[in-house]
Amino acid sequence: MVKYAITAATGRFGRAAVSHLLTLVDKKDIVLIARNAEKAKQAFKDIEVREASYDSESAMTKALSGIDRVLFISSQPGGEVPRLVQHQNVVNALATNRVSFVVYTSFPHADESENFLAQDHRGTEQAIVSAKLSHAFLRNNWYLENETSFLQAAASDTSAYYWADKQVGWALEREYAEAAANVLANGAEREIYELSGPSINFATLGETVKSTFNAASTIQQISESEYTSQLEKNGLDHDTALMVTSFQTPIDDGSLAHPSDDLPQLLGHDVTPLSEAVKEIIR
């Protein structure tokens, strides 16, 4: 009997991955690892839950006991414990338990990208390789849900602003998660997958939303500083506005302009068409 574990199981990505894995394997063979065990138990009934945080190597080591295959979902940066330290804790726990296969959610072209977000992912990939763990790296492009505020504005009779105009491989987060669950259950034919939806820019995204919702919105590119000012006018404090503005930096520097067919390959079908995907987010 193979035991499958999904870390960070209560996040949006984790929940989607668990839901899809339940269609592939028996629920008795699934273990959810979550910082908040009660939250995980409420989300998924009758599935084993083990409480552990990436902050603690010992807790992760205990949680991964007896596990064969793991979906290691990367954490968010900015926590009290640096993300690369968190990830090293998980890798150490995987190695201690001699986990047979790990699927890690990474960043596009993490091995060569100069974007600051790639650094921790590159370090984690290197740690997994150094630990001699059998693995697959799923280098996820951008989730369409990242642009919910833009989508909502474009779908209404107002202005939708952006500042970065390069190409992005947006796709629904659940589709990235479903691809990850497929690899967890079925294995991988190669070490690295560059996962992406079709490459478009904000202008095309905005016009698609306008057409889909028959909206009279204005899709407008402004400067980076103007974008920050606009966020402040909408009620964000300066530091938060700067942080939200920075979310488009990987678009501006071209880090996400890498088209690939790997995502539909792992899904076994085309990604959801953009017009349908935006309706899934904006109900």
Side-chain angles (χ1 to χ4, degrees), residues 160-188:
Y161 299 105
Y162 65 95
W163 68 268
D165 67 349
K166 290 189 173 64
Q167 302 283 299
V168 189
W170 285 298
L172 290 168
E173 185 170 3
R174 69 164 177 81
E175 292 188 303
Y176 287 103
E178 289 167 10
N182 285 341
V183 175
L184 181 66
N186 302 320

Side-chain angles (χ1 to χ4, degrees), residues 36 58 71 104-105 112 123 129 132 146 168 171 176 190 222:
N36 185 325
S58 60
L71 172 53
Y104 174 65
T105 61
E112 59 186 16
V129 172
K132 294 181 171 57
N146 292 349
V168 189
Y176 287 103
R190 60 181 194 267
I222 57 180

